[in-house]
Amino acid sequence: MLAAVRVLTRRAFSTAKPLSAAAQQMTVRDALNSAMDEEMEKDERVFILGEEVAQYDGAYKVSRGLWKKYGDKRVIDTPITEMGFAGMAVGAAMAGLRPICEFMTFNFAMQAIDQIINSAAKTFYMSAGVVNVPIVFRGPNGAAAGVGAQHSQCFAAWYAHCPGLKVISPYDAEDCRGLLKAAIRDPDPVVFLENEILYGQLYPVNDQILDKNFTLPIGKAKIQRPGTHCTLVAHSRAVELALQAAAELAKGGIECEVINLRTIRPLDVDTIFQSVQKTHHLVTVEQGWPQCGVGSEICARVMESETFFHLDAPVWRVTGVDVPMPYAKTLEGAALPQPHDIVTAVRTVLGGKTK
């Protein structure tokens, strides 16, 4: 029995290096929760709706305590009808409120994609700039663990395809706190793609991050780890994989620069270009499918820019396998990119040489 519990624990939670006792730490879950709490306290137009967000404190406890603090009018449990409550949220945004619409998983947001794209994303343009739609669609996105094909899909590339949306894919507590606050304050519709595996992960934070006025700019990437030999570009949990691969490669003298995209639309190509012009090599990393993926777009942007002439080797993509997510644990692991896949890609791109 104990062995089974250990297996489940390893399967369900991501692990991180322990921090010193003196360092401040915050889970991704608490970062999201505190961001919503502070923005609701600051602006009475902000409210939350979705399945189990109120009395149950959220399916993943991200909205824990908010119903007790703000009551039924501002934390609203909905029926299981994504099309219905997403439409209500979009209408509320058009009327001047600032809804946070939670999907239990973005796989279920497919039921509401007409409201997200045709109602939310296009209205500002179709109204000639008269009607803003200040709404945040948020919830877990991409692969979790052991939940099969219908609960494991990454929608970053789907939503990033659509003009009128801003698409955020945060990694750590700093990202989640600063970018969710910015998304809630933004006048346009924002798709905020979280990761279930990262909810319970602890990350270091400082007083600046914990400040109530802390926000991060939408559309600006972060250099998570500096390097000189190869650029690794990733988003969400793939940033963790890239960092692990970079640490392994560093043992052999290969220093990778890891870029945490943070935002998928608008895409911060300037940070990518500057890094590639320094390292002359590029590997993209994502858990989503390869065809028409985020990595594909990055490849195209590099090819269409002057940065292409700085490359010493072709761009390499590390992605999920081009199949529906298997349910079996071993096959699931094989369907997702692992740090050793990134290590192999970097060594292939470098051709066995370093500078």
Side-chain angles (χ1 to χ4, degrees), residues 118-136:
N118 284 326
S119 297
K122 298 177 183 177
T123 294
F124 184 70
Y125 168 78
M126 294 179 70
S127 68
V130 174
V131 181
N132 285 97
V133 188
I135 184 171
V136 177

Side-chain angles (χ1 to χ4, degrees), residues 95-165:
L97 298 179
R98 289 183 171 269
I100 303 168
C101 178
E102 177 179 312
F103 296 114
M104 194 177 292
T105 158
F106 261 93
N107 298 271
F108 301 158
M110 291 183 73
Q111 302 289 334
I113 201 163
D114 179 57
Q115 297 289 359
I116 298 169
I117 305 302
N118 284 326
S119 297
K122 298 177 183 177
T123 294
F124 184 70
Y125 168 78
M126 294 179 70
S127 68
V130 174
V131 181
N132 285 97
V133 188
I135 184 171
V136 177
F137 300 101
R138 54 153 295 271
N141 169 72
V147 291
Q150 293 177 324
H151 299 78
S152 302
Q153 188 169 329
C154 178
F155 288 89
W158 287 52
Y159 290 114
H161 184 65
C162 303
L165 288 178

Side-chain angles (χ1 to χ4, degrees), residues 9 160 211 284 347:
T9 301
D211 189 277
T284 67
R347 287 177 173 157

